[in-house]
Amino acid sequence: MTSTVSAPARGGTSYSALLERVRYEGAYPTRERAEEAVRSVLAALGRQLVGDERVDLAARLPVEAALVFTAQVPATTPLTGWEFVKDLAHRTGGSPATTRWDVGAVLAPVAKLAGPELVDRVIDRLPSGYALLFGRAELQPHRHTARTARAAHPFADRGAA
């Protein structure tokens, strides 16, 4: 186990405290396993999130976590929540079920660091399916962009016949 001095996030949480919270949430046997989950999930989220929400979330994470998150170049095509889990499973070699577990174990403490207002903004910025990943119910239909609305409803641009 390596010992590092970590700077706390704006909310006062250190990287060590985040790892312990993730270890508890995920019931991981070691801190190293928790750190592996933190790094993979935050890197994947960093590939999905853009704009002010990305900046604001990075500011609320401990420095080490923020560096992993912001080191990622955002994807040109955002993934839905389920696609996010499947993509991460493919990248890490895990199963979708264990990857979904890891995502929840990491994003629950991240949501606490971010606070409810920022989590709402993050969820609104991302395609459907992320509310559940952050430990929230997706109670209302996710707002669609014009592109996704047309894809979901191919006859939406045509007048009534």
Side-chain angles (χ1 to χ4, degrees):
M1 199 182 307
T2 59
S3 174
T4 60
V5 176
S6 67
R10 188 169 66 191
T13 299
S14 69
Y15 188 62
S16 293
L18 174 62
L19 292 180
E20 285 307 313
R21 188 68 204 167
V22 170
R23 184 177 176 190
Y24 175 80
E25 290 283 336
Y28 298 120
T30 65
R31 180 181 169 179
E32 289 77 13
R33 178 63 187 95
E35 185 168 22
E36 181 182 311
V38 166
R39 289 184 171 282
S40 65
V41 171
L42 288 180
L45 187 60
R47 289 188 291 275
Q48 297 302 307
L49 195 58
V50 297
D52 291 341
E53 291 76 18
R54 178 183 175 98
V55 173
D56 293 347
L57 182 57
R60 296 190 187 172
L61 294 172
V63 173
E64 299 87 341
L67 290 173
V68 170
F69 173 68
T70 59
Q72 305 306 307
V73 175
T76 56
T77 304
L79 302 173
T80 65
W82 176 236
E83 292 167 336
F84 173 84
V85 170
K86 289 191 308 185
D87 180 67
L88 184 55
H90 177 75
R91 288 174 186 266
T92 61
S95 72
T98 58
T99 302
R100 172 60 183 92
W101 180 270
D102 291 346
V103 169
V106 173
L107 293 185
V110 165
K112 287 181 180 143
L113 288 174
E117 185 270 330
L118 179 54
V119 172
D120 286 344
R121 289 177 32 221
V122 166
I123 291 168
D124 283 345
R125 169 70 71 170
L126 295 167
S128 67
Y130 283 86
L132 291 173
L133 299 179
F134 278 95
R136 294 180 168 195
E138 199 157 328
L139 298 176
Q140 56 188 354
H142 194 273
R143 64 180 172 82
H144 295 284
T145 63
R147 181 180 61 85
T148 57
R150 279 193 303 277
H153 304 287
F155 303 111
D157 290 339
R158 298 182 187 176

